Amino acid sequence: MYPKEFILSLFIVVIDVISAEWNTKDFMKREHSLIKPYYGSGLDIPFWQFTGSTIVTPNYIRLTDDTQSKRGAIWNSAPVNVRNWELQVHFKVHGKGKDLFGDGFAIWYAKDQMVDGPVFGSKDYFQGLAVILDTYSNHNGPHNHQHPYISAMVNNGSLTYDHDRDGTHTQLAGCEAKFRNLDFDSHIAIRYEKDVLTVSTDIENKAAWKECFQVKGVRLPTGYHIGVSATTGDLSDNHDIMSIRLFELDLPDDVSN
Ligand SMILES: [Ca+2]
């Protein structure tokens, strides 16, 4: 007969293995992740650079505060050489505006980093992927979706992001998502697996991912950079990032004999 403690600890180990299964298959890449405490031993954040209005606090990184005409960004200095990945961003968009607020932020997987510009704080005619969390509708005509709105755009450097149309003519897909001024944590996951792009949110306080959209046949090279940028204009909001985690996906089919 086993002592009670042993059985209990065995039970806990089994529970741990089940709950940790996701983490043991997919590996968080420390050099592409940004988690607390942000600072290393010195004054630099290892692997990350920031620009513009960005400030780093112990608990969050504020890309813009709730004032007009700000641009801020944070970029991962290490190029991503992982073929299949999932990027999870814990964020908070909040401000005093009840009906008028903006402009939003963008999560990047792009060739150029640290280049200031008009697309939610980063450069236009970019090369790579932008997942845009747009809080303000610039569109004056009849609208087919509400804001806040999440969309994805892939660019080879030839396309411009058209704010007047909220990027609708260049987007791959999108979904409405009420992610602003929430009292609980909000997360977005961008999964890029075998040329399939899936964007999901966890913004309903359910600790579960809900698919926003999925697009097949998305071709992205390796070696680009992860970044997040935000902007305010006439309207404003705080755009805060709590964490960024990049996981390398361990796909069974990748194992070749
Ligand atoms: Ca907009």
Side-chain angles (χ1 to χ4, degrees), residues 219-256:
R219 297 294 165 88
L220 297 169
T222 55
Y224 281 11
H225 291 269
I226 299 295
V228 186
S229 68
T231 188
T232 65
D234 291 340
L235 304 172
S236 64
D237 252 339
N238 298 294
H239 295 96
D240 298 344
I241 302 298
M242 268 62 79
S243 70
I244 299 170
R245 290 180 166 85
L246 188 125
F247 297 90
E248 178 173 12
L249 303 179
D250 179 30
L251 306 176
D253 292 355
D254 287 355
V255 179
S256 49

PDB file of all heavy atoms in Angstrom, residues 219-256:
ATOM      1  N   ARG A 219       1.649  33.211 -47.840  1.00  0.00           N
ATOM      2  CA  ARG A 219       3.081  32.913 -47.971  1.00  0.00           C
ATOM      3  C   ARG A 219       3.904  34.002 -47.307  1.00  0.00           C
ATOM      4  O   ARG A 219       3.878  35.156 -47.727  1.00  0.00           O
ATOM      5  CB  ARG A 219       3.466  32.807 -49.459  1.00  0.00           C
ATOM      6  CG  ARG A 219       2.770  31.690 -50.188  1.00  0.00           C
ATOM      7  CD  ARG A 219       3.219  30.334 -49.644  1.00  0.00           C
ATOM      8  NE  ARG A 219       2.351  29.251 -50.062  1.00  0.00           N
ATOM      9  CZ  ARG A 219       2.488  28.564 -51.183  1.00  0.00           C
ATOM     10  NH1 ARG A 219       3.474  28.855 -52.010  1.00  0.00           N
ATOM     11  NH2 ARG A 219       1.653  27.589 -51.481  1.00  0.00           N
ATOM     12  N   LEU A 220       4.606  33.614 -46.263  1.00  0.00           N
ATOM     13  CA  LEU A 220       5.499  34.544 -45.568  1.00  0.00           C
ATOM     14  C   LEU A 220       6.883  33.913 -45.475  1.00  0.00           C
ATOM     15  O   LEU A 220       6.999  32.731 -45.151  1.00  0.00           O
ATOM     16  CB  LEU A 220       4.977  34.815 -44.143  1.00  0.00           C
ATOM     17  CG  LEU A 220       3.619  35.506 -44.008  1.00  0.00           C
ATOM     18  CD1 LEU A 220       3.136  35.453 -42.561  1.00  0.00           C
ATOM     19  CD2 LEU A 220       3.710  36.952 -44.489  1.00  0.00           C
ATOM     20  N   PRO A 221       7.916  34.690 -45.757  1.00  0.00           N
ATOM     21  CA  PRO A 221       9.264  34.146 -45.628  1.00  0.00           C
ATOM     22  C   PRO A 221       9.692  34.080 -44.161  1.00  0.00           C
ATOM     23  O   PRO A 221       9.076  34.723 -43.312  1.00  0.00           O
ATOM     24  CB  PRO A 221      10.125  35.161 -46.388  1.00  0.00           C
ATOM     25  CG  PRO A 221       9.374  36.435 -46.298  1.00  0.00           C
ATOM     26  CD  PRO A 221       7.916  36.084 -46.212  1.00  0.00           C
ATOM     27  N   THR A 222      10.723  33.340 -43.880  1.00  0.00           N
ATOM     28  CA  THR A 222      11.313  33.410 -42.547  1.00  0.00           C
ATOM     29  C   THR A 222      12.285  34.593 -42.518  1.00  0.00           C
ATOM     30  O   THR A 222      12.605  35.178 -43.558  1.00  0.00           O
ATOM     31  CB  THR A 222      12.064  32.103 -42.192  1.00  0.00           C
ATOM     32  OG1 THR A 222      13.019  31.845 -43.209  1.00  0.00           O
ATOM     33  CG2 THR A 222      11.111  30.926 -42.062  1.00  0.00           C
ATOM     34  N   GLY A 223      12.722  34.948 -41.332  1.00  0.00           N
ATOM     35  CA  GLY A 223      13.728  35.992 -41.210  1.00  0.00           C
ATOM     36  C   GLY A 223      13.189  37.398 -41.001  1.00  0.00           C
ATOM     37  O   GLY A 223      13.953  38.362 -40.978  1.00  0.00           O
ATOM     38  N   TYR A 224      11.853  37.522 -40.888  1.00  0.00           N
ATOM     39  CA  TYR A 224      11.270  38.835 -40.619  1.00  0.00           C
ATOM     40  C   TYR A 224      11.220  39.094 -39.106  1.00  0.00           C
ATOM     41  O   TYR A 224      11.573  38.236 -38.309  1.00  0.00           O
ATOM     42  CB  TYR A 224       9.858  38.926 -41.221  1.00  0.00           C
ATOM     43  CG  TYR A 224       9.835  39.176 -42.720  1.00  0.00           C
ATOM     44  CD1 TYR A 224      10.981  39.079 -43.485  1.00  0.00           C
ATOM     45  CD2 TYR A 224       8.647  39.509 -43.368  1.00  0.00           C
ATOM     46  CE1 TYR A 224      10.947  39.308 -44.864  1.00  0.00           C
ATOM     47  CE2 TYR A 224       8.602  39.739 -44.738  1.00  0.00           C
ATOM     48  CZ  TYR A 224       9.751  39.640 -45.479  1.00  0.00           C
ATOM     49  OH  TYR A 224       9.705  39.876 -46.828  1.00  0.00           O
ATOM     50  N   HIS A 225      10.744  40.291 -38.758  1.00  0.00           N
ATOM     51  CA  HIS A 225      10.763  40.718 -37.354  1.00  0.00           C
ATOM     52  C   HIS A 225       9.359  40.899 -36.781  1.00  0.00           C
ATOM     53  O   HIS A 225       8.469  41.413 -37.466  1.00  0.00           O
ATOM     54  CB  HIS A 225      11.520  42.037 -37.211  1.00  0.00           C
ATOM     55  CG  HIS A 225      12.978  41.915 -37.462  1.00  0.00           C
ATOM     56  ND1 HIS A 225      13.884  41.646 -36.461  1.00  0.00           N
ATOM     57  CD2 HIS A 225      13.690  41.987 -38.608  1.00  0.00           C
ATOM     58  CE1 HIS A 225      15.093  41.582 -36.979  1.00  0.00           C
ATOM     59  NE2 HIS A 225      15.006  41.783 -38.290  1.00  0.00           N
ATOM     60  N   ILE A 226       9.237  40.530 -35.533  1.00  0.00           N
ATOM     61  CA  ILE A 226       7.997  40.762 -34.791  1.00  0.00           C
ATOM     62  C   ILE A 226       8.020  42.183 -34.219  1.00  0.00           C
ATOM     63  O   ILE A 226       9.043  42.628 -33.694  1.00  0.00           O
ATOM     64  CB  ILE A 226       7.887  39.763 -33.613  1.00  0.00           C
ATOM     65  CG1 ILE A 226       7.863  38.314 -34.117  1.00  0.00           C
ATOM     66  CG2 ILE A 226       6.670  40.063 -32.736  1.00  0.00           C
ATOM     67  CD1 ILE A 226       6.669  37.952 -34.934  1.00  0.00           C
ATOM     68  N   GLY A 227       6.896  42.853 -34.324  1.00  0.00           N
ATOM     69  CA  GLY A 227       6.797  44.185 -33.729  1.00  0.00           C
ATOM     70  C   GLY A 227       5.354  44.511 -33.383  1.00  0.00           C
ATOM     71  O   GLY A 227       4.428  43.844 -33.853  1.00  0.00           O
ATOM     72  N   VAL A 228       5.191  45.523 -32.556  1.00  0.00           N
ATOM     73  CA  VAL A 228       3.853  46.040 -32.270  1.00  0.00           C
ATOM     74  C   VAL A 228       3.960  47.560 -32.265  1.00  0.00           C
ATOM     75  O   VAL A 228       4.887  48.117 -31.663  1.00  0.00           O
ATOM     76  CB  VAL A 228       3.310  45.567 -30.896  1.00  0.00           C
ATOM     77  CG1 VAL A 228       1.862  46.001 -30.723  1.00  0.00           C
ATOM     78  CG2 VAL A 228       3.413  44.056 -30.741  1.00  0.00           C
ATOM     79  N   SER A 229       3.038  48.217 -32.974  1.00  0.00           N
ATOM     80  CA  SER A 229       3.059  49.681 -32.989  1.00  0.00           C
ATOM     81  C   SER A 229       1.646  50.205 -32.811  1.00  0.00           C
ATOM     82  O   SER A 229       0.672  49.504 -33.083  1.00  0.00           O
ATOM     83  CB  SER A 229       3.678  50.204 -34.286  1.00  0.00           C
ATOM     84  OG  SER A 229       2.844  49.912 -35.395  1.00  0.00           O
ATOM     85  N   ALA A 230       1.555  51.426 -32.333  1.00  0.00           N
ATOM     86  CA  ALA A 230       0.244  52.037 -32.089  1.00  0.00           C
ATOM     87  C   ALA A 230       0.310  53.521 -32.391  1.00  0.00           C
ATOM     88  O   ALA A 230       1.398  54.119 -32.400  1.00  0.00           O
ATOM     89  CB  ALA A 230      -0.181  51.820 -30.636  1.00  0.00           C
ATOM     90  N   THR A 231      -0.865  54.086 -32.636  1.00  0.00           N
ATOM     91  CA  THR A 231      -0.909  55.517 -32.912  1.00  0.00           C
ATOM     92  C   THR A 231      -2.189  56.145 -32.379  1.00  0.00           C
ATOM     93  O   THR A 231      -3.224  55.487 -32.267  1.00  0.00           O
ATOM     94  CB  THR A 231      -0.770  55.778 -34.428  1.00  0.00           C
ATOM     95  OG1 THR A 231      -0.620  57.161 -34.661  1.00  0.00           O
ATOM     96  CG2 THR A 231      -1.971  55.283 -35.190  1.00  0.00           C
ATOM     97  N   THR A 232      -2.081  57.424 -32.039  1.00  0.00           N
ATOM     98  CA  THR A 232      -3.257  58.236 -31.762  1.00  0.00           C
ATOM     99  C   THR A 232      -3.212  59.430 -32.725  1.00  0.00           C
ATOM    100  O   THR A 232      -2.148  59.767 -33.249  1.00  0.00           O
ATOM    101  CB  THR A 232      -3.279  58.762 -30.313  1.00  0.00           C
ATOM    102  OG1 THR A 232      -2.185  59.673 -30.117  1.00  0.00           O
ATOM    103  CG2 THR A 232      -3.154  57.619 -29.297  1.00  0.00           C
ATOM    104  N   GLY A 233      -4.353  60.032 -32.971  1.00  0.00           N
ATOM    105  CA  GLY A 233      -4.397  61.199 -33.862  1.00  0.00           C
ATOM    106  C   GLY A 233      -5.173  62.297 -33.168  1.00  0.00           C
ATOM    107  O   GLY A 233      -4.804  62.730 -32.082  1.00  0.00           O
ATOM    108  N   ASP A 234      -6.286  62.696 -33.794  1.00  0.00           N
ATOM    109  CA  ASP A 234      -7.191  63.611 -33.104  1.00  0.00           C
ATOM    110  C   ASP A 234      -7.839  62.906 -31.920  1.00  0.00           C
ATOM    111  O   ASP A 234      -8.194  63.522 -30.922  1.00  0.00           O
ATOM    112  CB  ASP A 234      -8.284  64.096 -34.067  1.00  0.00           C
ATOM    113  CG  ASP A 234      -7.720  65.019 -35.142  1.00  0.00           C
ATOM    114  OD1 ASP A 234      -6.622  65.573 -34.907  1.00  0.00           O
ATOM    115  OD2 ASP A 234      -8.363  65.178 -36.191  1.00  0.00           O
ATOM    116  N   LEU A 235      -7.986  61.598 -32.077  1.00  0.00           N
ATOM    117  CA  LEU A 235      -8.570  60.774 -31.024  1.00  0.00           C
ATOM    118  C   LEU A 235      -7.462  59.961 -30.373  1.00  0.00           C
ATOM    119  O   LEU A 235      -6.404  59.759 -30.960  1.00  0.00           O
ATOM    120  CB  LEU A 235      -9.628  59.841 -31.620  1.00  0.00           C
ATOM    121  CG  LEU A 235     -10.737  60.567 -32.382  1.00  0.00           C
ATOM    122  CD1 LEU A 235     -11.616  59.563 -33.096  1.00  0.00           C
ATOM    123  CD2 LEU A 235     -11.550  61.436 -31.434  1.00  0.00           C
ATOM    124  N   SER A 236      -7.707  59.476 -29.169  1.00  0.00           N
ATOM    125  CA  SER A 236      -6.616  58.806 -28.453  1.00  0.00           C
ATOM    126  C   SER A 236      -7.116  57.676 -27.568  1.00  0.00           C
ATOM    127  O   SER A 236      -8.312  57.514 -27.322  1.00  0.00           O
ATOM    128  CB  SER A 236      -5.836  59.823 -27.618  1.00  0.00           C
ATOM    129  OG  SER A 236      -6.666  60.372 -26.616  1.00  0.00           O
ATOM    130  N   ASP A 237      -6.162  56.901 -27.112  1.00  0.00           N
ATOM    131  CA  ASP A 237      -6.356  55.782 -26.195  1.00  0.00           C
ATOM    132  C   ASP A 237      -4.992  55.405 -25.637  1.00  0.00           C
ATOM    133  O   ASP A 237      -3.958  55.706 -26.259  1.00  0.00           O
ATOM    134  CB  ASP A 237      -6.904  54.544 -26.950  1.00  0.00           C
ATOM    135  CG  ASP A 237      -8.368  54.250 -26.631  1.00  0.00           C
ATOM    136  OD1 ASP A 237      -8.863  54.707 -25.584  1.00  0.00           O
ATOM    137  OD2 ASP A 237      -9.003  53.542 -27.434  1.00  0.00           O
ATOM    138  N   ASN A 238      -4.994  54.726 -24.504  1.00  0.00           N
ATOM    139  CA  ASN A 238      -3.779  54.051 -24.057  1.00  0.00           C
ATOM    140  C   ASN A 238      -3.693  52.721 -24.793  1.00  0.00           C
ATOM    141  O   ASN A 238      -4.672  51.965 -24.820  1.00  0.00           O
ATOM    142  CB  ASN A 238      -3.845  53.765 -22.552  1.00  0.00           C
ATOM    143  CG  ASN A 238      -3.940  55.025 -21.722  1.00  0.00           C
ATOM    144  OD1 ASN A 238      -3.008  55.817 -21.699  1.00  0.00           O
ATOM    145  ND2 ASN A 238      -5.070  55.216 -21.041  1.00  0.00           N
ATOM    146  N   HIS A 239      -2.549  52.457 -25.393  1.00  0.00           N
ATOM    147  CA  HIS A 239      -2.314  51.162 -26.049  1.00  0.00           C
ATOM    148  C   HIS A 239      -1.194  50.468 -25.292  1.00  0.00           C
ATOM    149  O   HIS A 239      -0.031  50.860 -25.409  1.00  0.00           O
ATOM    150  CB  HIS A 239      -1.936  51.367 -27.520  1.00  0.00           C
ATOM    151  CG  HIS A 239      -3.038  51.972 -28.342  1.00  0.00           C
ATOM    152  ND1 HIS A 239      -3.110  53.329 -28.600  1.00  0.00           N
ATOM    153  CD2 HIS A 239      -4.104  51.405 -28.953  1.00  0.00           C
ATOM    154  CE1 HIS A 239      -4.198  53.565 -29.345  1.00  0.00           C
ATOM    155  NE2 HIS A 239      -4.810  52.422 -29.580  1.00  0.00           N
ATOM    156  N   ASP A 240      -1.568  49.489 -24.484  1.00  0.00           N
ATOM    157  CA  ASP A 240      -0.617  48.818 -23.591  1.00  0.00           C
ATOM    158  C   ASP A 240      -0.391  47.368 -24.005  1.00  0.00           C
ATOM    159  O   ASP A 240      -1.345  46.660 -24.362  1.00  0.00           O
ATOM    160  CB  ASP A 240      -1.143  48.818 -22.147  1.00  0.00           C
ATOM    161  CG  ASP A 240      -1.321  50.222 -21.583  1.00  0.00           C
ATOM    162  OD1 ASP A 240      -0.770  51.188 -22.174  1.00  0.00           O
ATOM    163  OD2 ASP A 240      -2.017  50.351 -20.558  1.00  0.00           O
ATOM    164  N   ILE A 241       0.859  46.949 -23.918  1.00  0.00           N
ATOM    165  CA  ILE A 241       1.226  45.550 -24.172  1.00  0.00           C
ATOM    166  C   ILE A 241       1.766  44.972 -22.865  1.00  0.00           C
ATOM    167  O   ILE A 241       2.693  45.535 -22.275  1.00  0.00           O
ATOM    168  CB  ILE A 241       2.304  45.448 -25.276  1.00  0.00           C
ATOM    169  CG1 ILE A 241       1.813  46.086 -26.583  1.00  0.00           C
ATOM    170  CG2 ILE A 241       2.729  43.993 -25.490  1.00  0.00           C
ATOM    171  CD1 ILE A 241       0.596  45.441 -27.203  1.00  0.00           C
ATOM    172  N   MET A 242       1.182  43.878 -22.418  1.00  0.00           N
ATOM    173  CA  MET A 242       1.653  43.226 -21.198  1.00  0.00           C
ATOM    174  C   MET A 242       2.672  42.138 -21.501  1.00  0.00           C
ATOM    175  O   MET A 242       3.635  41.951 -20.769  1.00  0.00           O
ATOM    176  CB  MET A 242       0.485  42.634 -20.415  1.00  0.00           C
ATOM    177  CG  MET A 242      -0.104  43.573 -19.381  1.00  0.00           C
ATOM    178  SD  MET A 242      -0.791  45.052 -20.108  1.00  0.00           S
ATOM    179  CE  MET A 242      -2.345  44.376 -20.665  1.00  0.00           C
ATOM    180  N   SER A 243       2.413  41.371 -22.562  1.00  0.00           N
ATOM    181  CA  SER A 243       3.375  40.326 -22.922  1.00  0.00           C
ATOM    182  C   SER A 243       3.231  39.951 -24.381  1.00  0.00           C
ATOM    183  O   SER A 243       2.174  40.148 -24.997  1.00  0.00           O
ATOM    184  CB  SER A 243       3.201  39.073 -22.043  1.00  0.00           C
ATOM    185  OG  SER A 243       1.987  38.419 -22.357  1.00  0.00           O
ATOM    186  N   ILE A 244       4.333  39.430 -24.908  1.00  0.00           N
ATOM    187  CA  ILE A 244       4.367  38.872 -26.264  1.00  0.00           C
ATOM    188  C   ILE A 244       5.061  37.526 -26.145  1.00  0.00           C
ATOM    189  O   ILE A 244       6.142  37.435 -25.552  1.00  0.00           O
ATOM    190  CB  ILE A 244       5.153  39.788 -27.227  1.00  0.00           C
ATOM    191  CG1 ILE A 244       4.487  41.170 -27.327  1.00  0.00           C
ATOM    192  CG2 ILE A 244       5.286  39.150 -28.606  1.00  0.00           C
ATOM    193  CD1 ILE A 244       5.328  42.211 -28.073  1.00  0.00           C
ATOM    194  N   ARG A 245       4.424  36.505 -26.660  1.00  0.00           N
ATOM    195  CA  ARG A 245       5.034  35.173 -26.593  1.00  0.00           C
ATOM    196  C   ARG A 245       4.999  34.537 -27.976  1.00  0.00           C
ATOM    197  O   ARG A 245       3.935  34.465 -28.586  1.00  0.00           O
ATOM    198  CB  ARG A 245       4.268  34.262 -25.622  1.00  0.00           C
ATOM    199  CG  ARG A 245       4.406  34.635 -24.166  1.00  0.00           C
ATOM    200  CD  ARG A 245       3.614  33.658 -23.301  1.00  0.00           C
ATOM    201  NE  ARG A 245       3.952  33.765 -21.895  1.00  0.00           N
ATOM    202  CZ  ARG A 245       3.393  34.664 -21.069  1.00  0.00           C
ATOM    203  NH1 ARG A 245       2.472  35.490 -21.510  1.00  0.00           N
ATOM    204  NH2 ARG A 245       3.764  34.705 -19.807  1.00  0.00           N
ATOM    205  N   LEU A 246       6.149  34.100 -28.447  1.00  0.00           N
ATOM    206  CA  LEU A 246       6.183  33.378 -29.718  1.00  0.00           C
ATOM    207  C   LEU A 246       6.517  31.913 -29.454  1.00  0.00           C
ATOM    208  O   LEU A 246       7.504  31.603 -28.792  1.00  0.00           O
ATOM    209  CB  LEU A 246       7.201  33.977 -30.681  1.00  0.00           C
ATOM    210  CG  LEU A 246       7.098  33.333 -32.074  1.00  0.00           C
ATOM    211  CD1 LEU A 246       6.889  34.380 -33.161  1.00  0.00           C
ATOM    212  CD2 LEU A 246       8.307  32.490 -32.405  1.00  0.00           C
ATOM    213  N   PHE A 247       5.650  31.047 -29.950  1.00  0.00           N
ATOM    214  CA  PHE A 247       5.839  29.615 -29.784  1.00  0.00           C
ATOM    215  C   PHE A 247       6.205  28.991 -31.126  1.00  0.00           C
ATOM    216  O   PHE A 247       5.575  29.292 -32.140  1.00  0.00           O
ATOM    217  CB  PHE A 247       4.554  28.952 -29.272  1.00  0.00           C
ATOM    218  CG  PHE A 247       4.140  29.426 -27.912  1.00  0.00           C
ATOM    219  CD1 PHE A 247       3.294  30.522 -27.768  1.00  0.00           C
ATOM    220  CD2 PHE A 247       4.607  28.791 -26.768  1.00  0.00           C
ATOM    221  CE1 PHE A 247       2.918  30.974 -26.506  1.00  0.00           C
ATOM    222  CE2 PHE A 247       4.234  29.231 -25.501  1.00  0.00           C
ATOM    223  CZ  PHE A 247       3.395  30.322 -25.376  1.00  0.00           C
ATOM    224  N   GLU A 248       7.209  28.160 -31.102  1.00  0.00           N
ATOM    225  CA  GLU A 248       7.503  27.349 -32.281  1.00  0.00           C
ATOM    226  C   GLU A 248       6.572  26.150 -32.246  1.00  0.00           C
ATOM    227  O   GLU A 248       6.503  25.439 -31.247  1.00  0.00           O
ATOM    228  CB  GLU A 248       8.961  26.880 -32.250  1.00  0.00           C
ATOM    229  CG  GLU A 248       9.303  26.000 -33.423  1.00  0.00           C
ATOM    230  CD  GLU A 248      10.786  25.655 -33.499  1.00  0.00           C
ATOM    231  OE1 GLU A 248      11.518  25.913 -32.523  1.00  0.00           O
ATOM    232  OE2 GLU A 248      11.191  25.119 -34.535  1.00  0.00           O
ATOM    233  N   LEU A 249       5.838  25.940 -33.338  1.00  0.00           N
ATOM    234  CA  LEU A 249       4.895  24.832 -33.368  1.00  0.00           C
ATOM    235  C   LEU A 249       5.625  23.558 -33.752  1.00  0.00           C
ATOM    236  O   LEU A 249       6.381  23.537 -34.715  1.00  0.00           O
ATOM    237  CB  LEU A 249       3.773  25.118 -34.368  1.00  0.00           C
ATOM    238  CG  LEU A 249       2.977  26.410 -34.117  1.00  0.00           C
ATOM    239  CD1 LEU A 249       1.910  26.584 -35.188  1.00  0.00           C
ATOM    240  CD2 LEU A 249       2.342  26.394 -32.730  1.00  0.00           C
ATOM    241  N   ASP A 250       5.376  22.554 -32.976  1.00  0.00           N
ATOM    242  CA  ASP A 250       5.985  21.253 -33.231  1.00  0.00           C
ATOM    243  C   ASP A 250       4.951  20.407 -33.957  1.00  0.00           C
ATOM    244  O   ASP A 250       4.004  19.918 -33.363  1.00  0.00           O
ATOM    245  CB  ASP A 250       6.386  20.617 -31.898  1.00  0.00           C
ATOM    246  CG  ASP A 250       7.012  19.254 -32.107  1.00  0.00           C
ATOM    247  OD1 ASP A 250       7.639  19.052 -33.159  1.00  0.00           O
ATOM    248  OD2 ASP A 250       6.864  18.390 -31.237  1.00  0.00           O
ATOM    249  N   LEU A 251       5.100  20.320 -35.276  1.00  0.00           N
ATOM    250  CA  LEU A 251       4.096  19.629 -36.075  1.00  0.00           C
ATOM    251  C   LEU A 251       4.538  18.203 -36.349  1.00  0.00           C
ATOM    252  O   LEU A 251       5.649  17.975 -36.819  1.00  0.00           O
ATOM    253  CB  LEU A 251       3.872  20.368 -37.391  1.00  0.00           C
ATOM    254  CG  LEU A 251       3.531  21.855 -37.241  1.00  0.00           C
ATOM    255  CD1 LEU A 251       3.436  22.521 -38.587  1.00  0.00           C
ATOM    256  CD2 LEU A 251       2.250  22.048 -36.457  1.00  0.00           C
ATOM    257  N   PRO A 252       3.660  17.242 -36.077  1.00  0.00           N
ATOM    258  CA  PRO A 252       4.022  15.831 -36.254  1.00  0.00           C
ATOM    259  C   PRO A 252       4.521  15.520 -37.677  1.00  0.00           C
ATOM    260  O   PRO A 252       5.442  14.742 -37.864  1.00  0.00           O
ATOM    261  CB  PRO A 252       2.707  15.087 -35.984  1.00  0.00           C
ATOM    262  CG  PRO A 252       1.910  16.021 -35.145  1.00  0.00           C
ATOM    263  CD  PRO A 252       2.305  17.405 -35.551  1.00  0.00           C
ATOM    264  N   ASP A 253       3.923  16.171 -38.680  1.00  0.00           N
ATOM    265  CA  ASP A 253       4.302  15.892 -40.075  1.00  0.00           C
ATOM    266  C   ASP A 253       5.709  16.363 -40.411  1.00  0.00           C
ATOM    267  O   ASP A 253       6.279  15.966 -41.417  1.00  0.00           O
ATOM    268  CB  ASP A 253       3.298  16.551 -41.027  1.00  0.00           C
ATOM    269  CG  ASP A 253       1.947  15.905 -40.956  1.00  0.00           C
ATOM    270  OD1 ASP A 253       1.801  14.886 -40.244  1.00  0.00           O
ATOM    271  OD2 ASP A 253       1.028  16.394 -41.605  1.00  0.00           O
ATOM    272  N   ASP A 254       6.241  17.253 -39.589  1.00  0.00           N
ATOM    273  CA  ASP A 254       7.595  17.754 -39.847  1.00  0.00           C
ATOM    274  C   ASP A 254       8.663  16.715 -39.541  1.00  0.00           C
ATOM    275  O   ASP A 254       9.814  16.856 -39.954  1.00  0.00           O
ATOM    276  CB  ASP A 254       7.876  19.011 -38.988  1.00  0.00           C
ATOM    277  CG  ASP A 254       7.110  20.215 -39.533  1.00  0.00           C
ATOM    278  OD1 ASP A 254       6.482  20.065 -40.585  1.00  0.00           O
ATOM    279  OD2 ASP A 254       7.168  21.268 -38.891  1.00  0.00           O
ATOM    280  N   VAL A 255       8.286  15.681 -38.805  1.00  0.00           N
ATOM    281  CA  VAL A 255       9.264  14.660 -38.431  1.00  0.00           C
ATOM    282  C   VAL A 255       9.445  13.717 -39.627  1.00  0.00           C
ATOM    283  O   VAL A 255       8.555  12.983 -40.004  1.00  0.00           O
ATOM    284  CB  VAL A 255       8.780  13.863 -37.186  1.00  0.00           C
ATOM    285  CG1 VAL A 255       9.790  12.801 -36.813  1.00  0.00           C
ATOM    286  CG2 VAL A 255       8.535  14.812 -36.030  1.00  0.00           C
ATOM    287  N   SER A 256      10.625  13.785 -40.238  1.00  0.00           N
ATOM    288  CA  SER A 256      10.869  12.924 -41.396  1.00  0.00           C
ATOM    289  C   SER A 256      11.913  11.855 -41.033  1.00  0.00           C
ATOM    290  O   SER A 256      12.824  12.111 -40.269  1.00  0.00           O
ATOM    291  CB  SER A 256      11.371  13.763 -42.565  1.00  0.00           C
ATOM    292  OG  SER A 256      12.423  14.591 -42.139  1.00  0.00           O
TER     293      SER A 256
END
